[in-house]
């Protein structure tokens, strides 16, 4: 898949999410917006043992991923 002219492997992003420790399951997909731009969206299932109040924020997820992935591989949205 290509996002903003960069070729990337969705599996690498999903693996990085799973390594964070908060995530039980992850699926990443590219979506096309009305503007014509493509974005990455990550769908996450947290670990059962993670209390609701301990779930990471989007900025914490982005910061954690930035330590392992280039910026163009960090999803624009997390669900």
């Amino acid at each position: 898949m290509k996002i903003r002219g960069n070729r990337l492997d969705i599996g690498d992003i999903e693996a990085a999410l799973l390594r964070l420790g908060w995530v039980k399951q992850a699926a990443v997909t590219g979506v096309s917006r009305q503007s014509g731009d493509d974005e990455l969206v990550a769908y996450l299932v947290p670990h059962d043992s993670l209390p609701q109040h301990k779930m990471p924020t989007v900025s914490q997820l982005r910061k954690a991923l930035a330590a392992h992935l280039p910026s163009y591989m960090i999803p624009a949205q997390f669900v």
Side-chain angles (χ1 to χ4, degrees):
M1 160 172 244
K2 268 189 158 180
I3 298 284
R4 288 176 244 122
N6 297 294
R7 182 155 299 284
L8 52 97
D9 181 358
I10 297 292
D12 292 341
I13 302 166
E14 292 171 347
L17 284 163
L18 293 172
R19 282 194 302 267
L20 295 179
W22 300 310
V23 181
K24 180 179 177 180
Q25 294 178 351
V28 177
T29 188
V31 295
S32 294
R33 299 291 171 207
Q34 282 185 328
S35 64
D37 294 331
D38 292 331
E39 288 183 338
L40 291 173
V41 177
Y43 296 89
L44 309 174
V45 176
H47 276 287
D48 297 333
S49 61
L50 189 66
Q52 184 72 22
H53 69 281
K54 294 281 186 176
M55 291 184 59
T57 64
V58 170
S59 19
Q60 288 172 320
L61 285 167
R62 284 193 177 118
K63 185 176 180 180
L65 286 176
H68 305 285
L69 298 173
S71 62
Y72 65 87
M73 291 179 74
I74 297 176
Q77 296 183 37
F78 295 88
V79 180

